[in-house]
Amino acid sequence: MSQSSTENRRIVLAQRPQGLPDADTLHLESSTIPEPGDGELLLRTKYLSIDPYMRGRMNDAKSYAEPVKIGEVMTGQVVAEVMTSNLKGYDKGDLVLAGSGWQDYAVSDGTQLVNLGRDPANPSWALGILGMPGYTAYAGLLLIGDPKPGETVVVAAASGPVGATVGQIAKLKGCRVVGVAGGSEKCAHVVNNLGFDACIDHKSEDFAKQLKAACSEGIDVYFENVGGKVLYGVLPLLNEFARMPVCGVVSWYNLPGLPEGHDMGPAIMGTILRMKVKVQGFIIFDSFPISTYQDFRRDMTQWIAEGKIHYKEQVVEGLENAPKALNDVLLGRSFGKVVVKVD
């Protein structure tokens, strides 16, 4: 279903989910296209980013950001085209990075917009390798993980947009890198295309045994964005003074309460204490100085140009398919950075 020039499709949060979002969670509705006023822009969405954090924003719970309200447009970053500009510094036809969410059109006063220019190469990459996921990988690994040459770095969700970038940067820093991914196809991509030293399929019955064999000298840095059995497999392998940047725990996002099974709290906290592990959670938008973002843009742009960083993008056609795309990300059925081509 393509965009219209006369109506604005919006996907709104209709009901807070219990577990995985279903057909009652998000509703597609139509409204009139908004009109920009003085000092405002009319934006038309071209690409919508799909990210695991969106599941957390559906919950009415205390977090680093306000939850999406019932009846409100689902939150998300987009690459959009300026259709009408009443704001200096933006012209009709410019592409911008915006936070206008799951809809065709939006009005902006320019707050937190990034002007990408009229004809950027690979505009959707501003939502991935040159955007929030790439920056998350860069800052989390280098500033919290602090990898040193010869150390072993383990990366969860290694075929995803954050994990894939973490591992490649760690290789550039002289580390031995072991990825964890779901399925043989993803593991082969991680090793053959991204250059990791090994990749373990977390779906394997002997996952913990394979991980131990791949990390014969223990783990110095574990980049955490999954939680669950991957974290439990990593714990006994952590070396003294290991570092663990934490940017997500996607395996637990759909749980209505605490995970079933044994209480792993004592094992987790005991390992942190005995092995003197540094664990630091971070939210990319407010955890680092602006100079870090400037360093990221400089370094990542150079690495891509030199062919040192590789990037895989999965494009989903149509705004109406965004809810399924999100569930695929949450269930590990996606491959690479997922964006929805809206226009």
Side-chain angles (χ1 to χ4, degrees):
M1 188 185 301
S2 59
Q3 287 180 327
S4 165
S5 61
T6 59
E7 66 177 9
N8 181 31
R9 295 173 304 166
R10 310 161 72 242
I11 295 182
V12 303
L13 182 65
Q15 180 178 297
R16 300 203 184 278
Q18 297 296 316
L20 191 71
D22 58 24
D24 295 323
T25 304
L26 296 164
H27 283 180
L28 178 65
E29 61 180 35
S30 295
S31 64
T32 57
I33 297 175
E35 293 284 343
D38 291 340
E40 292 183 330
L41 311 164
L42 175 64
L43 305 178
R44 179 174 67 89
T45 303
K46 296 181 71 66
Y47 294 97
L48 165 66
S49 181
I50 299 294
D51 300 288
Y53 79 84
M54 293 170 171
R55 175 60 185 83
R57 298 290 293 277
M58 296 178 183
N59 295 332
D60 188 9
K62 183 179 180 181
S63 186
Y64 62 88
E66 288 294 319
V68 178
K69 297 181 175 61
I70 299 297
E72 191 173 71
V73 173
M74 188 60 203
T75 188
Q77 277 200 313
V78 308
V79 170
E81 181 182 359
V82 176
M83 303 302 291
T84 304
S85 176
N86 299 321
L87 183 62
K88 185 178 179 180
Y90 297 90
D91 298 319
K92 177 178 171 58
D94 285 349
L95 295 185
V96 299
L97 181 66
S100 49
W102 296 28
Q103 58 184 335
D104 286 324
Y105 296 91
V107 166
S108 170
D109 64 1
T111 301
Q112 295 185 336
L113 287 191
V114 177
N115 196 332
L116 303 175
R118 186 166 294 270
D119 189 26
N122 304 304
S124 62
W125 287 20
L127 302 171
I129 191 67
L130 291 174
M132 183 265 289
Y135 184 32
T136 297
Y138 178 94
L141 176 67
L142 297 183
L143 274 67
I144 300 175
D146 188 23
K148 299 174 179 62
E151 289 190 324
T152 296
V153 176
V154 170
V155 185
S159 67
V162 175
T165 309
V166 168
Q168 292 180 87
I169 296 174
K171 287 298 296 181
L172 291 175
K173 298 301 178 180
C175 299
R176 184 173 188 275
V177 181
V178 176
V180 177
S184 58
E185 182 184 6
K186 291 181 179 179
C187 283
H189 168 71
V190 167
V191 174
N192 298 332
N193 299 328
L194 304 182
F196 286 43
D197 296 284
C199 188
I200 312 301
D201 183 356
H202 66 72
K203 297 179 181 180
S204 301
E205 291 185 6
D206 62 344
F207 164 72
K209 181 179 179 180
Q210 289 189 43
L211 183 65
K212 182 177 180 180
C215 303
S216 58
E217 297 185 9
I219 297 171
D220 301 295
V221 180
Y222 172 51
F223 197 99
E224 172 67 295
N225 52 18
V226 169
K229 67 179 289 186
V230 178
L231 171 62
Y232 302 154
V234 165
L235 280 175
L237 306 177
L238 291 172
N239 289 331
E240 287 189 334
F241 301 105
R243 289 82 69 197
M244 188 188 303
V246 181
C247 75
V249 285
V250 67
S251 71
W252 291 325
Y253 284 167
N254 288 312
L255 295 181
L258 294 175
E260 295 181 0
H262 297 295
D263 179 7
M264 294 297 292
I268 294 172
M269 297 305 294
T271 299
I272 292 171
L273 173 62
R274 290 192 305 274
M275 304 309 290
K276 300 167 283 270
V277 179
K278 173 186 175 182
V279 180
Q280 183 175 336
F282 68 100
I283 304 301
I284 195 59
F285 298 114
D286 61 8
S287 296
F288 306 100
I290 189 63
S291 59
T292 305
Y293 178 74
Q294 294 165 349
D295 292 342
F296 156 70
R297 290 288 301 190
R298 180 199 65 225
D299 291 345
M300 188 59 67
T301 300
Q302 180 177 341
W303 289 335
I304 292 172
E306 294 173 348
K308 294 179 178 178
I309 295 286
H310 301 281
Y311 178 57
K312 184 176 180 62
E313 185 179 66
Q314 178 182 339
V315 179
V316 175
E317 298 281 346
L319 179 64
E320 67 277 9
N321 293 317
K324 180 181 183 303
L326 176 58
N327 279 359
D328 285 346
V329 168
L330 295 174
L331 293 172
R333 295 195 296 235
S334 59
F335 197 167
K337 169 60 187 173
V338 176
V339 297
V340 175
K341 191 174 187 299
V342 177
D343 66 348

